[in-house]
Amino acid sequence: FKRHGAAAIDTPVLELRETLMGKYGEDTKLIYELQDQGGELLALRYDLTVPFARYLAMNKVNNMKRYHVAKVYRRDNPATTRGRYREFYQCDFDIAGQFDPMIPDAECLKIVHEILSDLQLGDFVIKVNDRRILNGVFAICGVPESKFITACSTVDKLDKVPWEEVRSEMVGEKGLSPEAADRIGEYVQLHGGLDLIEQLLQDPKLSQNKLAKEGLGDMKLLFEYLTLFGITGKISFDLSLARGLDYYTGVIFEAVLLQQENEHVEELVGVGSVAGGGRYDGLVGMFDPKGRKVPCVGVSIGIERIFSILEQRLKASGEKLRTTETQVLVATPQKHLLAARMKLISELWDAGIKAEMLYKKDPKLLKQLQYCEDTGIPLAAIVGEQELADGVVKLRDVSTREEVRM
């Protein structure tokens, strides 16, 4: 984030309830609400984007590039193995301000590409779509405008369930006509690159829709910029991508890790989304008393989900993970030498060296060395009666067992 020129900011964990309500579509039910606190109804933040928009509006900020790593809260059913929690970190990067189309959007995608490549999590794909294209598809398929948002959240389930289930939810629960659902199905199952964008720009029905035409024009521009950044190999223009949140207005994207089931199957399976984001040009205006708009685009990295993948990988490899940074353990081989240990460790601490000792008066040397092995401490500084008499310390390399007197 710093490499791309972002400043760090922080916003409160508590927001006014009305700030958060009505911004997250069907997920509004997952907001933690707090009881009346002296006349104010409060809630815990659900993400870092809405508080950021409120911050821009309140402080009359017109442009800003910011990152924010902090906890958010959701009244969800946790599934810790899949990195799904009620309290978890989000890791956001946003560009706010009036700029030429698709340049900041392309940079957000470049950042996701850099992060996922650097972390070496395996193969991934970044799906890209545009809310305007999706709304254009709904319009030409005969969906009333009042149902765009709920149709969106249903389409968003396509990465988890087959089209048949999505179709039956559209018709059964969302009240769309079977014909409309079938027509939507013809579009939302398409994915590709520049060729698909060109093909849709030629589509007789879709190209007549003003919104969709704008969206496709911008998508074409975006792909030209992504080609210049050299990352189109991992980008897929995917019409099924909807992202369930209400506040997106343009480009939306989601990064998914791919996993090969086994050597014989070439089919790649998604492990789940590890980053997502998009353009939200109307959000700041909702909080501004004068309705002043600040266009924004941003991305959120699913840091907890990435951690759970890295943890599983470490477990599988049997590699030891150090939780501390201790450089040296101060140890004694004989009894009655606690004073010598305390004096030496105090000198080490004062010199800025990370040091530990066992909290026992007379620990056995073997126990002390075993502690080094268990916690990965690389060195042991041993002071015995002989060392004290000679005014030296014996330094032992825990892994090679070599010792030097100094």
Side-chain angles (χ1 to χ4, degrees):
F1 295 151
K2 288 179 177 172
R3 190 192 301 167
H4 288 262
I9 69 161
D10 194 16
T11 60
V13 171
L14 297 175
E15 290 282 346
L16 288 176
R17 180 182 171 275
E18 70 206 46
T19 300
L20 304 184
M21 287 301 163
K23 312 291 189 301
Y24 302 108
E26 293 183 351
D27 286 346
T28 295
K29 60 180 185 289
L30 300 180
I31 292 174
Y32 270 112
E33 296 182 51
L34 303 175
Q35 286 302 313
D36 180 354
Q37 298 284 322
E40 284 186 325
L41 289 172
L42 300 174
L44 296 179
R45 63 180 170 209
Y46 175 91
D47 68 359
L48 301 176
T49 310
V50 171
F52 174 56
R54 188 223 9 103
Y55 172 90
L56 292 176
M58 268 181 72
N59 295 293
K60 301 188 170 42
V61 177
N62 284 323
N63 62 51
M64 181 181 217
K65 206 183 315 187
R66 80 92 163 92
Y67 74 94
H68 190 183
V69 180
K71 280 187 173 175
V72 298
Y73 301 85
R74 296 186 181 181
R75 251 172 45 188
D76 209 343
N77 292 323
T80 45
T81 48
R82 293 209 316 274
R84 211 188 166 94
Y85 307 94
R86 285 183 179 155
E87 173 184 40
F88 57 95
Y89 277 98
Q90 268 192 351
C91 184
D92 282 24
F93 172 94
D94 291 84
I95 300 172
Q98 191 77 52
F99 304 109
D100 285 338
M102 295 297 126
I103 304 174
D105 310 60
E107 185 167 1
C108 284
L109 289 164
K110 174 78 172 116
I111 287 171
V112 177
H113 188 281
E114 280 175 25
I115 290 171
L116 295 182
S117 303
D118 288 352
L119 287 171
Q120 297 178 345
L121 296 167
D123 205 7
F124 63 89
V125 65
I126 304 171
K127 299 177 183 178
V128 186
N129 197 4
D130 193 303
R131 270 288 169 85
R132 292 166 298 175
I133 299 174
L134 215 47
N135 287 346
V137 167
F138 294 149
I140 65 167
C141 293
V143 178
E145 199 169 324
S146 58
K147 291 192 173 163
F148 279 7
I149 286 174
T150 75
C152 238
S153 55
T154 305
V155 169
D156 198 42
K157 296 176 181 167
L158 262 179
D159 59 341
K160 298 180 189 74
V161 299
W163 166 248
E164 287 66 42
E165 281 184 46
V166 169
R167 183 185 180 280
S168 67
E169 183 179 314
M170 279 183 169
V171 178
E173 289 175 38
K174 303 291 167 79
L176 300 187
S177 71
E179 301 78 48
D182 288 335
R183 286 206 289 270
I184 292 169
E186 287 169 24
Y187 287 103
V188 295
Q189 296 181 72
L190 299 171
H191 53 89
L194 257 175
D195 47 348
L196 178 60
I197 299 167
E198 295 288 5
Q199 179 194 322
L200 291 172
L201 278 166
Q202 304 304 317
D203 183 298
K205 288 207 287 270
L206 203 54
S207 57
Q208 294 308 302
N209 180 282
K210 186 172 168 289
L211 268 181
K213 201 170 178 184
E214 273 176 29
L216 285 164
D218 276 353
M219 190 59 71
K220 188 177 172 183
L221 194 56
L222 179 67
F223 265 80
E224 284 167 22
Y225 295 157
L226 297 176
T227 308
L228 294 171
F229 282 154
I231 61 172
T232 44
K234 296 274 189 218
I235 310 267
S236 164
F237 170 41
D238 190 322
L239 280 147
S240 71
L241 178 66
R243 295 200 52 81
L245 301 176
D246 281 12
Y247 51 63
Y248 290 120
T249 54
V251 170
I252 43 178
F253 36 83
E254 192 164 283
V256 182
L257 291 189
L258 302 170
Q259 198 176 34
Q260 265 160 323
E261 285 209 69
N262 58 35
E263 280 68 77
H264 315 296
V265 186
E266 279 303 294
E267 188 57 35
L268 290 163
V269 208
V271 181
S273 159
V274 287
R279 179 162 279 287
Y280 49 102
D281 288 348
L283 198 53
V284 178
M286 287 184 182
F287 301 114
D288 194 277
K290 295 196 175 103
R292 184 186 55 102
K293 286 197 167 174
V294 179
C296 297
V297 62
V299 62
S300 183
I301 309 296
I303 202 165
E304 304 270 0
R305 199 162 280 185
I306 288 171
F307 279 166
S308 63
I309 292 162
L310 291 174
E311 275 173 355
Q312 283 164 1
R313 192 169 294 176
L314 271 169
K315 262 190 200 141
S317 72
E319 204 179 316
K320 251 215 186 114
L321 196 62
R322 285 197 68 182
T323 51
T324 64
E325 296 181 11
T326 310
Q327 295 160 300
V328 57
L329 181 85
V330 175
T332 40
Q334 295 104 0
K335 288 187 172 179
H336 314 305
L337 288 172
L338 177 60
R341 266 192 296 154
M342 288 185 125
K343 270 191 189 146
L344 177 57
I345 200 165
S346 185
E347 280 183 44
L348 291 174
W349 285 334
D350 290 345
I353 291 166
K354 297 166 184 161
E356 279 187 70
M357 65 177 202
L358 294 196
Y359 303 125
K360 269 186 112 153
K361 269 187 180 164
D362 299 317
K364 292 192 166 55
L365 185 60
L366 205 63
K367 257 251 167 69
Q368 298 170 85
L369 295 174
Q370 188 58 50
Y371 180 74
C372 291
E373 299 248 340
D374 293 345
T375 55
I377 299 174
L379 298 169
I382 301 168
V383 273
E385 282 154 5
Q386 190 59 54
E387 283 79 20
L388 278 175
D390 298 347
V392 295
V393 172
K394 192 156 67 180
L395 203 59
R396 179 184 172 103
D397 182 319
V398 175
S399 57
T400 63
R401 302 191 176 170
E402 284 171 29
E403 294 184 339
V404 284
R405 285 160 68 85
M406 46 206 315

